[in-house]
Every structure is written in C-alpha cells, then in structure tokens.
DNA sequence: AACCGGGACAACCGCCAGATC
DNA sequence: CGATCTGGCGGTTGTCCCGGT
C-alpha cells in the first residue's frame, strides 16, 4: 500500500496559482530562503502542498528564470543533449541557464518532436525515421507520450527508463546528430560544497559529464 | 458568429533515492 | 539496520487559446 500522501489533500488548494499565492510564496522564500518544503506552505500561510510550492517556485517564480521563446541555439542544444542523455530533463535543464526541466520537457513534446520528425529523425532514438522503431514516434500527438512509456516497461520499472549509460551505449547519436557540442560546465547546485557525498543529481551530472566528455565537447558555451 | 480540433503550457501524480530517525 | 520522511524527477493530464471551417 504505499506511502501516505505528501500532504492532506482535503485542506489544500489545487489548480492554477493566484497572484496572491505567488506573492506569499515569493515573500516567504525571500525572507527565509528555500528550506523545508513540507512545512513551508503552513509557515507561508498557503493552502498548498509543499511539492506544489516547490514546483511553482522552481518553474515560474525563481528570479533567475529566462522565460520567453527558445532560441535556435537552445533548440539545437536540447536536441543534442537529448540524444546523449535521453529524457533526463533536469540534466538538460542544468546546462541551459535560466531554463527549467518542466519547460524543456514541454518544449520538447510540443515543438522539437515535430521538428525532428519533419527532418526525418526519430525523436526517441535520434535515428533516421524508418530505420528502427519509427512507427510509434511518427505520430507527434499527445498519445505518443503514452506509447513512449513502452520504453519504460513494468519489468524494468526502476524509474530510470532511459538509463544514461544505456542510452549512450546504444548510441542514438549516430543517426544524424552532430556531437560536437559547445557547452560549458554544468550549473552548480545551490549549495554544492555542503555535502561531502555526491548527490543523485551530482552523480548523474558526473555521468553525463563523462558522456559529454566522450563526445568531444569543447567548453565555449556559457 | 459559432463550433471544433489541435497546440501550448501549467500543474498534478506517482515513484525513486538519499537523508534522517 | 530497517523504517520513515523528504526532495526531486519524469510522465501525464487539464485547461486555455487560437486558427480553421
């Protein structure tokens, strides 16, 4: 049976955030910093789940967010990183300053998928369409999210549907993706020096760093 | 002018892994 | 050392908006 819910849903708001809620959240974080998300809603006077507050802050209220349209350069970077990392949106976002994983994920599903298909590239495998399992990917619609889940079968339900190593090892990259990336080092997490042991994120970053290193990446992207 | 379908995006859900007790 | 808690991630859904008919 699982875990208890992260919050008491009966007493929390859901749906779109109001301006007042945004203001409360921003004011609280400005005053106290990002702390315990679980207790934050109560402390800030918000009838929201802590996870919801975190998401709202990370994706929309953080002051360093870029927002606005993606540039062509960002498009290409996302495509290349996706070819290397698979659906590791947080890792991809970590290399695009001012962009969030959610934003990139949405952008991928709505824009880039179709762009790749138009180019004749399978957005899932980054191979030319028609070479491998292109049929499912050919339909760039909401329902191919569902079919995409087939890469995450229950038998392999580790949550890591796209193992980074598997993804790179199975080399989706040779299907027309130029791997000569020009990027800089990944963004540092807010307080990296405080944890002596690598976090999951840091380990993943390191792994991706290896991959990117193998891909002959220069570091002139800032 | 009204209706419909698709696109775009914000937000939620469930799961996982690390941290803490 | 196991159980529980918490933060984070990726997938999915809900809803609004816009263009076409």
């Amino acid at each position: 049976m699982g875990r208890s819910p992260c919050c008491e849903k009966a007493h929390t708001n859901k749906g779109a955030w109001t301006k007042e809620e945004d203001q409360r959240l921003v004011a609280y974080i400005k005053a106290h910093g990002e702390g315990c998300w679980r207790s934050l809603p109560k402390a800030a006077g918000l009838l929201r789940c802590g996870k919801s507050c975190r998401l709202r802050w990370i994706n929309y209220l953080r002051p360093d967010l870029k927002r606005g349209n993606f540039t062509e350069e960002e498009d290409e970077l996302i495509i290349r990183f996706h070819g290397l990392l698979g659906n590791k949106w947080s890792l991809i976002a970590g290399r695009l300053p001012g962009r969030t994983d959610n934003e990139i994920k949405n952008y991928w599903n709505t824009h880039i998928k179709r762009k790749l298909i138009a180019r004749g590239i399978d957005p899932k495998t980054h191979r030319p369409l028609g070479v491998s399992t292109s049929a499912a990917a050919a339909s760039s619609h909401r329902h191919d999210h569902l079919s995409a889940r087939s890469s995450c079968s229950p038998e392999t339900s580790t949550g890591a549907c796209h193992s980074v190593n598997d993804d790179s090892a199975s080399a989706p990259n040779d299907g027309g993706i130029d791997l000569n990336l020009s990027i800089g080092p990944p963004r540092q997490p807010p307080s990296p020096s405080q944890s002596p042991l690598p976090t999951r994120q840091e380990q993943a970053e390191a792994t991706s760093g290896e991959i990117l290193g193998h891909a002959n990446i220069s570091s002139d992207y800032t």
Side-chain angles (χ1 to χ4, degrees):
Chain A
M1 280 301 235
R3 315 145 47 92
S4 57
C6 68
C7 51
E8 287 193 43
K9 299 190 177 197
H11 300 101
T12 55
N13 290 341
K14 286 174 74 172
W17 280 66
T18 65
K19 281 193 173 180
E20 187 187 344
E21 286 178 313
D22 282 348
Q23 286 167 0
R24 279 179 184 267
L25 181 58
V26 170
Y28 183 87
I29 291 178
K30 276 185 180 173
H32 302 91
E34 294 180 42
C36 176
W37 291 109
R38 188 179 174 80
S39 61
L40 184 148
K42 195 175 179 182
L46 290 164
L47 293 174
R48 289 279 180 174
C49 170
K51 289 175 89 168
S52 182
C53 294
R54 175 185 158 272
L55 208 63
R56 183 67 181 170
W57 172 256
I58 298 275
N59 285 330
Y60 303 100
L61 299 177
R62 251 170 39 196
D64 58 326
L65 291 182
K66 192 185 281 184
R67 314 293 298 161
N69 294 335
F70 283 76
T71 64
E72 269 299 314
E73 185 186 7
E74 285 175 317
D75 272 19
E76 294 305 318
L77 281 173
I78 291 169
I79 292 168
R80 290 175 184 182
F81 281 131
H82 187 273
L84 291 166
L85 301 169
N87 294 359
K88 300 293 178 185
W89 306 116
S90 61
L91 292 180
I92 297 171
R95 287 168 170 78
L96 290 169
R99 301 296 187 184
T100 70
D101 53 355
N102 204 37
E103 192 178 10
I104 292 172
K105 180 171 59 183
N106 281 330
Y107 189 66
W108 175 269
N109 284 326
T110 55
H111 292 84
I112 299 184
K113 260 189 182 176
R114 265 178 293 143
K115 189 172 176 177
L116 287 181
I117 289 170
R119 288 184 190 176
I121 297 172
D122 185 334
K124 217 163 113 186
T125 63
H126 292 260
R127 293 175 185 276
L129 279 171
V131 169
S132 58
T133 59
S134 57
S139 66
S140 68
H141 199 241
R142 170 166 293 181
H143 301 292
D144 60 7
H145 301 180
L146 302 177
S147 62
R149 186 140 201 192
S150 62
S151 69
C152 189
S153 64
E155 295 85 55
T156 60
S157 62
T158 61
C161 307
H162 290 271
S163 157
V164 167
N165 287 329
D166 289 352
D167 244 10
S168 60
S170 60
N173 312 318
D174 54 357
I177 300 289
D178 174 13
L179 294 180
N180 290 322
L181 300 176
S182 296
I183 60 165
R187 268 194 320 212
Q188 293 301 313
S191 57
S193 61
Q194 312 223 333
S195 60
L197 295 176
T199 62
R200 184 164 45 143
Q201 171 78 9
E202 287 165 348
Q203 287 175 334
E205 297 263 0
T207 307
S208 68
E210 287 174 23
I211 294 169
L212 298 175
H214 293 157
N216 284 333
I217 296 161
S218 57
S219 58
D220 39 355
Y221 174 81
T222 50

